[in-house]
Amino acid sequence: MTDEKEMYGYDEDDIITLEYDDGSEEECGVVGIFDVDGKDYIALNPLGTGEVYIYGYKEYEEDFELIDDITDEEFAKATKEFESLVEQDLVDEEQ
């Protein structure tokens, strides 16, 4: 399975498995962690898709927590910041 993960451009350490209430799982690559108004967010890319999921993010000494109960306003701000970061990264790559 490691070869498949590398095919998507993520190192093993940059892959997390989301576990849903129905028992299903989905592997996602960590696109990045970023700050908006003093809160951390994480952007995840389900392997093999062009989708991006954005969650609140809290890191502990040896673990982390994904926070999915963010307000619509927080989500809109986080999405806007993520899109801005991606756009800036694309501009930087072109230069």
Side-chain angles (χ1 to χ4, degrees):
M1 190 71 166
T2 299
D3 292 335
E4 181 180 339
K5 291 176 184 176
E6 289 173 358
M7 178 176 73
Y8 295 117
Y10 297 102
D11 292 330
E12 187 76 27
D13 293 341
D14 293 331
I15 304 283
I16 64 171
T17 302
L18 299 180
E19 298 175 1
Y20 298 108
D21 291 338
D22 67 359
S24 64
E25 296 181 344
E26 184 172 33
E27 289 189 317
C28 297
V30 176
V31 177
I33 299 169
F34 56 98
D35 175 85
V36 178
D37 295 338
K39 294 183 178 181
D40 287 334
Y41 295 88
I42 188 169
L44 302 174
N45 167 236
L47 298 183
T49 75
E51 296 181 44
V52 175
Y53 301 158
I54 295 178
Y55 289 91
Y57 179 79
K58 184 158 179 118
E59 189 167 349
Y60 303 101
E61 279 188 38
E62 295 184 23
D63 203 7
F64 65 90
E65 177 182 6
L66 298 181
I67 302 163
D68 63 357
D69 62 345
I70 59 178
T71 67
D72 290 343
E73 182 180 343
E74 290 172 319
F75 181 76
K77 286 181 179 181
T79 300
K80 185 175 181 179
E81 178 65 16
F82 174 74
E83 289 171 348
S84 175
L85 292 169
V86 168
E87 184 176 307
Q88 183 61 45
D89 193 39
L90 292 174
V91 169
D92 289 346
E93 286 180 7
E94 291 177 1
Q95 294 178 0

